[in-house]
Amino acid sequence: MYTFRRTSKKAYNLVNPKIIFHCTDLLLSFKYPFLCIVPVPRAPEIDVGDCLVLDNTVSVAWKMPVEDSKIDHYILEYRKTDHEGLPRIKDQRCWEVVDNIKTTEYSLSGLQFDSKFINFRVRACNKAAAGEYSDPVTLETRAFNFGFDSSSSHLNLKVEDRSVEWDPQGGKGLEGKVKGKENKGRSGTPSPKRTSAARSPAIRGGRDRFTGESYTVLGDTSMDCGQHYWEVKAHKDCKSYSVGVSYRNLGKFDQLGKTNTTWCIHINNWLQTSFAAKHNNKAKNLDGTVPDRIGVFCDLDSGQLSFYNAETKQLIHTFKAKFSQPVVPAFMVWCGGLSLSTGMQVPSAVKSFQKTENGLGGGSNSSLNSMAQ
């Protein structure tokens, strides 16, 4: 079957699946008819060996099965998936399109790896038509994904998606009501470890929420092995915040860095700036300027927790610890807010530094290295 398409030069295209007959100036001159045959481009071949997944960037490379000087550009399509192998019809995510690529390679940078894999396919185009898609390939993009556990957050913390903000009016009037109900029929402060199975975990002021001066929220995903990385950015108005990890059973009155089950760095911008690493109620003042973004590298296999300047990848501090339980990301915020970046691979610069220095940052970490039981 053939179709006709009229071009801007009053020429006509005669198209079938394999050959395009382009009759140039057919209507302008019957004395000098001209017939140009342009083959449909063949399907490119993606070379998996030349593809690279590094630093949340995916570089895809392909080649043509035969040389084709008529190729004008390429179209790359990709789709996130949690299924290994070829794309599945039931995948809900649509193909994303990158058009007008002039070379046989392309890099997608700044990606959030919130799926285990990404499917890729590419097609070649000449001036007349687009060819068939290449065979799709699947590249692994596994990374650490988590969010804030709103059911654990302090009453004065407002959690939204990837941010947490101090809210001085949060839970006002409700906290006292819930506490009164908890304390009914007994004296003293209820044990932080007691829980109520009948209570919905979403009720503010519940026993699993931090309270008092523990302005804390935990991550909703625990880590028990492997290497993990995430970044935190403080809002400009943030007066005080901590970033680190904790065991899940942290008491709701406990503060980060003041127990032997929490490790963090603490920044205080109230009146004057202080910058310290904290663990087991001990603090070590840190030198240098507080970075705009802090990278957290947690290596459960080697027992290391390191903090980096996320921009320069310069080491700030490293804890050496034997984690006897799974840990979760932990945050403290007072007067201000934090933004969270997850779905990140361990940066190659961090991996290189950890390998070269064996996880030791010179003299920056010696005083607070600990063995947690």
Side-chain angles (χ1 to χ4, degrees):
M1 181 177 181
Y2 296 86
T3 59
F4 293 87
R5 184 177 66 188
R6 187 171 181 177
T7 69
S8 58
K9 293 183 178 180
K10 297 184 179 180
Y12 289 84
N13 291 337
L14 184 60
V15 184
N16 71 9
K18 296 297 182 181
I19 300 177
I20 298 176
F21 297 95
H22 190 190
C23 303
T24 306
D25 296 330
L26 183 62
L27 299 180
L28 299 180
S29 175
F30 290 95
K31 294 182 179 180
Y32 305 100
F34 179 76
L35 183 64
C36 179
I37 302 175
V38 182
V40 174
R42 294 193 181 186
E45 298 173 353
I46 297 179
D47 191 342
V48 178
D50 289 338
C51 296
L52 183 64
V53 181
L54 188 67
D55 295 332
N56 285 78
T57 295
V58 180
S59 298
V60 184
W62 59 89
K63 59 185 179 182
M64 296 299 295
V66 294
E67 185 176 352
D68 188 345
S69 61
K70 301 296 184 181
I71 299 299
D72 178 70
H73 66 278
Y74 299 91
I75 299 175
L76 177 69
E77 297 187 358
Y78 64 97
R79 179 170 63 181
K80 296 180 179 180
T81 179
D82 287 322
H83 303 293
E84 189 174 5
L86 297 177
R88 301 188 179 188
I89 297 176
K90 293 183 179 180
D91 279 349
Q92 297 298 316
R93 305 190 186 188
C94 297
W95 289 97
E96 302 285 340
V97 179
V98 182
D99 200 350
N100 201 34
I101 301 173
K102 296 296 185 179
T103 62
T104 56
E105 59 182 6
Y106 190 81
S107 294
L108 295 165
S109 59
L111 297 174
Q112 180 188 7
F113 288 165
D114 52 1
S115 67
K116 296 179 181 179
F117 307 94
I118 299 183
N119 301 137
F120 290 91
R121 65 185 185 184
V122 64
R123 65 198 305 192
C125 304
N126 56 31
K127 293 292 186 180
E132 298 288 335
Y133 285 106
S134 66
D135 291 334
V137 300
T138 301
L139 301 179
E140 185 175 5
T141 56
R142 198 182 304 272
F144 182 48
N145 274 281
F146 71 93
F148 293 113
D149 181 7
S150 59
S151 67
S152 74
S153 64
H154 190 282
L155 288 167
N156 292 117
L157 297 183
K158 181 181 179 182
V159 175
E160 290 185 358
D161 193 25
R162 300 291 177 178
S163 68
V164 56
E165 292 188 359
W166 165 262
D167 179 11
Q169 302 299 319
K172 195 171 184 180
L174 176 61
E175 184 175 12
K177 181 179 179 181
V178 175
K179 283 186 176 180
K181 185 176 181 180
E182 289 178 350
N183 293 327
K184 185 177 180 181
R186 62 179 183 268
S187 60
T189 303
S191 170
K193 295 183 180 180
R194 291 179 60 91
T195 59
S196 175
R199 181 191 54 79
S200 168
I203 297 177
R204 299 190 67 88
R207 291 172 187 257
D208 57 346
R209 283 186 175 270
F210 293 99
T211 190
E213 294 184 356
S214 181
Y215 305 117
T216 303
V217 61
L218 302 178
D220 61 7
T221 305
S222 61
M223 303 167 282
D224 57 3
C225 63
Q227 297 180 336
H228 310 275
Y229 181 84
W230 62 95
E231 294 181 357
V232 181
K233 180 179 177 60
H235 301 174
K236 290 184 178 180
D237 60 346
C238 198
K239 296 294 189 295
S240 180
Y241 62 97
S242 297
V243 178
V245 300
S246 167
Y247 289 165
R248 174 67 76 177
N249 60 359
L250 181 66
K252 73 174 186 177
F253 296 100
D254 294 336
Q255 298 180 37
L256 298 186
K258 293 190 176 183
T259 71
N260 64 351
T261 62
T262 59
W263 299 258
C264 70
I265 57 173
H266 176 73
I267 295 89
N268 185 3
N269 293 318
W270 181 251
L271 299 180
Q272 60 181 8
T273 300
S274 63
F275 191 22
K278 292 186 175 184
H279 169 67
N280 202 19
N281 208 26
K282 296 179 181 179
K284 180 180 186 294
N285 291 328
L286 301 175
D287 298 327
T289 304
V290 178
D292 291 334
R293 286 196 355 257
I294 296 173
V296 185
F297 172 65
C298 187
D299 187 346
L300 277 299
D301 297 334
S302 62
Q304 297 179 65
L305 176 66
S306 299
F307 300 89
Y308 285 83
N309 182 321
E311 295 291 345
T312 65
K313 299 304 183 287
Q314 180 180 3
L315 179 68
I316 298 172
H317 184 80
T318 292
F319 290 103
K320 186 73 174 179
K322 182 179 179 181
F323 300 110
S324 61
Q325 300 178 31
V327 298
V328 292
F331 311 84
M332 186 282 294
V333 182
W334 179 71
C335 288
L338 300 176
S339 295
L340 180 64
S341 296
T342 69
M344 305 185 74
Q345 293 180 298
V346 179
S348 55
V350 170
K351 282 186 175 180
S352 177
F353 183 87
Q354 294 289 149
K355 182 177 179 180
T356 302
E357 302 296 327
N358 294 321
L360 299 178
S364 68
N365 60 358
S366 58
S367 67
L368 285 179
N369 285 351
S370 60
M371 299 300 290
Q373 303 299 326

